[in-house]
Amino acid sequence: MKPIILDVDTGIDDALAISYAVNSPELELLGVTTCFGNVTVQEATRNTLLVLEHLDSSLPVIPGAAKPFFVSRVKASAVHIHGRDGMGNTLSDGKLPKREASSQYAPQFIIDQVRSRPHQVTIITVAAMTNLALAIMQAPDIVNLVDNVIVMGGAVTRAGNATPHAEANIYADPEAADYVFASGIPITLVGLDVTMETLLPKKDVEVWRDKQTTLGDLMADMTDFYIDAYEDFYPGIGGCGLHDPLAVGVAIHPDFVTTSPMHVRVDLEGFHTLGRTVGDLRSKPANQPNMQVCLQVDADRFLKHFLSRVV
Ligand code: RIB
Ligand code: CA
């Protein structure tokens, strides 16, 4: 089993990723850390606890950053994609989880777990990269102690989603992402380059509803909202991008994707290009690669695997 820390901003596709990870015996989830992003960190923590409740899981949920690492900017709202509550408007007013989050702080949890299992832990970030940046700033030794960091973020070879060039997780905290990219920590980048190839259509979601379980109903209601939002955003697309689940999939089966070593940094200044992940695609790049970038995905195989486990 691969020891995993999953860092989320739950979020509909985060909820799907959590369920997929919890139901995957190859992964030993050490805890789920939360960050601002799709919603506030308090809402992300609440949503994560509620999803885990539906999964009968008592995994620790560790709250993290409420704001960006270095500079606070006005952020694009995710209400149109994830709903007012981050769960596709499925939560009744005042709905609270039965248990409380951990009193630890996510960056410290990351440091402690990585140090206690040298060269074993994989961190999967599917939110702004603030918690990991804070952890590295406080404990730079963890850079050489993790097994890998799988990042859902960026768009190296295609358009962004938060802006024409920037993907939402990177745009939420560009300085944090760039700090992590420059730190020397091993990274696999699961960006829109591949996640926009893994589309989940409505017909597959109906099967979850047919199961007549509270988990199936919740996931189906949320995901229907998400698919409708995608249809509004990308008319004719026929499904929603399984961004965060693919990052989990890559942890389970790295061969779902084909990667290329590359030097990638984040644009921190561009008026029109803030948060863009700039990969050096030249035949003779100026710098050594700092990550493996996923450029192709076996979408059918991944989708089958995901659907066999998520609900
Ligand atoms: O760009 C997709 C990413 O942004 C996903 O992680 C989604 O949950 C949002 O955070
Ligand atoms: Ca997310």
Side-chain angles (χ1 to χ4, degrees):
M1 274 167 107
K2 202 182 257 194
I4 299 283
I5 298 170
L6 184 57
D7 190 67
V8 298
D9 59 338
T10 316
I12 298 170
D13 60 327
D14 304 73
L16 297 173
I18 293 168
S19 189
Y20 182 31
V22 167
N23 290 332
S24 289
E26 300 86 349
L27 306 182
E28 178 195 5
L29 279 174
L30 304 174
V32 184
T33 52
T34 62
C35 189
F36 73 94
N38 290 324
V39 285
T40 66
V41 68
Q42 291 85 0
E43 290 166 331
T45 303
R46 173 200 65 194
N47 294 351
T48 304
L49 285 163
L50 287 169
V51 170
L52 289 173
E53 212 168 282
H54 277 87
L55 289 161
D56 288 325
S57 164
S58 54
L59 268 178
V61 176
I62 309 97
K67 61 180 175 49
F69 179 54
F70 186 54
V71 193
S72 279
R73 300 185 177 89
V74 180
K75 197 198 148 296
S77 162
V79 167
H80 54 301
I81 302 278
H82 295 272
R84 288 182 307 280
D85 53 11
M87 304 269 279
N89 299 334
T90 58
L91 298 189
S92 48
D93 280 351
K95 173 86 178 157
L96 289 175
K98 292 194 185 108
R99 70 185 170 103
E100 295 201 343
S102 156
S103 56
Q104 238 194 323
Y105 186 45
Q108 190 60 50
F109 177 82
I110 292 171
I111 295 167
D112 292 348
Q113 292 295 323
V114 170
R115 282 182 174 161
S116 69
R117 297 171 184 241
H119 312 293
Q120 291 177 45
V121 176
T122 293
I123 303 168
I124 307 176
T125 70
V126 298
M129 296 179 69
T130 322
N131 289 330
L132 182 55
L134 289 167
I136 294 173
M137 189 170 64
Q138 194 184 319
D141 58 300
I142 65 168
V143 161
N144 297 313
L145 292 179
V146 298
D147 179 46
N148 197 15
V149 177
I150 300 176
V151 174
M152 191 286 122
V156 176
T157 60
R158 62 189 295 162
N161 55 6
T163 76
H165 293 292
E167 181 279 331
N169 288 339
I170 306 294
Y171 190 63
D173 194 351
E175 280 78 12
D178 195 56
Y179 185 83
V180 174
F181 289 3
S183 70
I185 207 163
I187 295 171
T188 302
L189 193 75
V190 183
L192 300 180
D193 312 275
V194 280
T195 65
M196 287 301 287
E197 301 296 320
T198 56
L199 297 177
L200 178 69
K202 274 215 172 166
K203 68 171 173 43
D204 289 332
V205 173
E206 283 316 306
V207 177
W208 303 346
R209 219 184 292 283
D210 293 345
K211 296 193 179 212
Q212 300 192 327
T213 60
T214 56
L215 176 71
D217 287 349
L218 174 72
M219 293 295 173
D221 289 348
M222 285 194 302
T223 307
D224 273 348
F225 180 97
Y226 194 48
I227 294 175
D228 289 343
Y230 263 73
E231 206 55 54
D232 259 12
F233 221 77
Y234 308 97
I237 190 168
C240 60
L242 289 173
H243 309 290
D244 297 352
L246 182 59
V248 171
V250 169
I252 303 167
H253 285 301
D255 63 349
F256 281 155
V257 287
T258 309
T259 62
S260 182
M262 205 182 290
H263 189 83
V264 181
R265 295 296 297 265
V266 180
D267 188 342
L268 303 179
E269 290 186 358
F271 184 75
H272 297 289
T273 51
L274 176 73
R276 179 181 192 165
T277 42
V278 182
D280 195 337
L281 298 164
R282 295 175 293 182
S283 52
K284 290 195 176 172
N287 295 290
Q288 289 298 312
N290 59 347
M291 63 181 69
Q292 296 289 328
V293 178
C294 300
L295 292 177
Q296 284 173 318
V297 57
D298 187 340
D300 290 344
R301 205 175 131 230
F302 161 70
L303 200 61
K304 271 198 196 90
H305 191 260
F306 167 78
L307 287 170
S308 71
R309 293 189 174 182
V310 66
V311 168

